[in-house]
C-alpha cells in the first residue's frame, strides 16, 4: 500500500523539550516537505529536501531542524527554541524532473500540543 | 516569487447548489493542483491540472494557463464537500499555496 505515513498522530510536549515527528514515504519520491498549519490558517513551509543529505529552509525554519539520511524518510525535530510550536504538522512528497507528473501528496498530519 | 490568490475566501451553500472557486496566479506555471482539506485535516488531492479541463464525478476543474487562472466547479454540493479548498502552483522548487476557500454546505 503506497503512501506517506506520519507518526505519531497526536503528540504532547512539555515546554523546553525537543520532539521529533516522523515522516516516511514509499512512493520513491525525490522531494519531501514539511508544513505547519495553525487553526484557520493556510500552510507554511518549514523545510524541504530534494535529494538525500541535502535540505533547504522554507519560510519559517527557525526553531526546527531536519535530516534526510534516506530517500524514504524526512524527520522533523521541533526544538525548544521554537516559541509557539503548538500546531498541525503536515509532511508531503513529490517526484521531480521535466516531463513527468510532479503531483504532490500529503501525509495525514501530526497534531502537536505544548503543555 | 509567484503569488497565488483564491476567491472567495468563504462560501456557504445549501445542499444541492453549485459553486465555482477561483485561483489566480502571477506567473506561468507547469504544475497546478487543487486540494480539499477535510474536517480532520487530511489534504486530499482533487486535480493535477497544469492546463485544460478535467472532471471527476461532481467536481471539475479548468486551468487557462495563458490567462493565469484556474476554476474548480462543484455541482450538486453535499455536506461532505465542506472543508477548505486549496489551490497550489509550483514556484521555484516548491508548491506555493493560496490562502484557501472555506466551504460550508448546509443540509
Amino acid at each position: 500500500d503506497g503512501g506517506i505515513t506520519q507518526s505519531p498522530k497526536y503528540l504532547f510536549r512539555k515546554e523546553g523539550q525537543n520532539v521529533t515527528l516522523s515522516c516516511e514515504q514509499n512512493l520513491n519520491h525525490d522531494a519531501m516537505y514539511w508544513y505547519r498549519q495553525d487553526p484557520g490558517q493556510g500552510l507554511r513551509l518549514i523545510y524541504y529536501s530534494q535529494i538525500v543529505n541535502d535540505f533547504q529552509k522554507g519560510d519559517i525554519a527557525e526553531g526546527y531542524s531536519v535530516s534526510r539520511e534516506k530517500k524514504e524518510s524526512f524527520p522533523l525535530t521541533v526544538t525548544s527554541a521554537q516559541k509557539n510550536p503548538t500546531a498541525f504538522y503536515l509532511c508531503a512528497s513529490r517526484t521531480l524532473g521535466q516531463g513527468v507528473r510532479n503531483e504532490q501528496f500529503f501525509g495525514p498530519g501530526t497534531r502537536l500540543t505544548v503543555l | 516569487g509567484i503569488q497565488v490568490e483564491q476567491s472567495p475566501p468563504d462560501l456557504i451553500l445549501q445542499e444541492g447548489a453549485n459553486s465555482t472557486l477561483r485561483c489566480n496566479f502571477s506567473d506561468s506555471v507547469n504544475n497546478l493542483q487543487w486540494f480539499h482539506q477535510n474536517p480532520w485535516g487530511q489534504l486530499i488531492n482533487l486535480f493535477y491540472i497544469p492546463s485544460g479541463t478535467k472532471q471527476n464525478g461532481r467536481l471539475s476543474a479548468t486551468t487557462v494557463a495563458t490567462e493565469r487562472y484556474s476554476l474548480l466547479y462543484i455541482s450538486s454540493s453535499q455536506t461532505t464537500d465542506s472543508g477548505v479548498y486549496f489551490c497550489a502552483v509550483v514556484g521555484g522548487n516548491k508548491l506555493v499555496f493560496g490562502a484557501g476557500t472555506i466551504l460550508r454546505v448546509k443540509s
Side-chain angles (χ1 to χ4, degrees), chain A residues 8-38:
Chain A
K9 189 173 182 179
Y10 297 95
L11 185 57
F12 298 90
R13 181 193 106 174
K14 292 182 179 180
E15 279 193 34
Q17 287 182 337
N18 293 355
V19 290
T20 298
L21 282 57
S22 169
C23 177
E24 304 274 335
Q25 54 97 2
N26 62 4
L27 301 167
N28 198 33
H29 282 173
D30 306 296
M32 297 186 72
Y33 305 82
W34 275 105
Y35 296 87
R36 169 181 172 140
Q37 188 177 34
D38 293 286

Side-chain angles (χ1 to χ4, degrees), chain A residues 31 33 35 37 40-43 45 48 50 56-59 88 90 94 96 98 100-109 111, chain B residues 30-31 33 35 37 39-49 54 84 86 90-100 102:
Chain A
Y33 305 82
Y35 296 87
Q37 188 177 34
Q41 303 297 312
L43 283 70
L45 183 64
Y48 64 102
Q50 298 181 88
Q56 288 77 41
K57 293 182 179 180
D59 302 316
F88 185 49
L90 286 155
R94 68 186 182 109
L96 299 176
Q98 297 291 333
V100 297
R101 186 181 172 104
N102 304 127
E103 187 172 2
Q104 182 159 311
F105 294 88
F106 282 83
R111 293 194 184 276
Chain B
N30 55 17
N31 178 359
Q33 292 184 243
F35 298 90
Q37 187 168 36
W40 296 270
Q42 176 77 51
L43 275 153
I44 309 297
N45 288 41
L46 297 178
F47 293 101
Y48 173 86
I49 186 165
K54 291 186 178 179
V84 185
F86 289 104
V90 170
N93 301 320
K94 51 195 184 292
L95 279 190
V96 178
F97 284 80
I102 301 172

Side-chain angles (χ1 to χ4, degrees), chain A residues 53-73:
Chain A
N53 293 323
D54 190 36
F55 47 82
Q56 288 77 41
K57 293 182 179 180
D59 302 316
I60 55 164
E62 185 175 351
Y64 300 97
S65 65
V66 293
S67 63
R68 186 90 184 274
E69 297 178 1
K70 298 187 299 182
K71 188 176 185 179
E72 306 79 31
S73 178

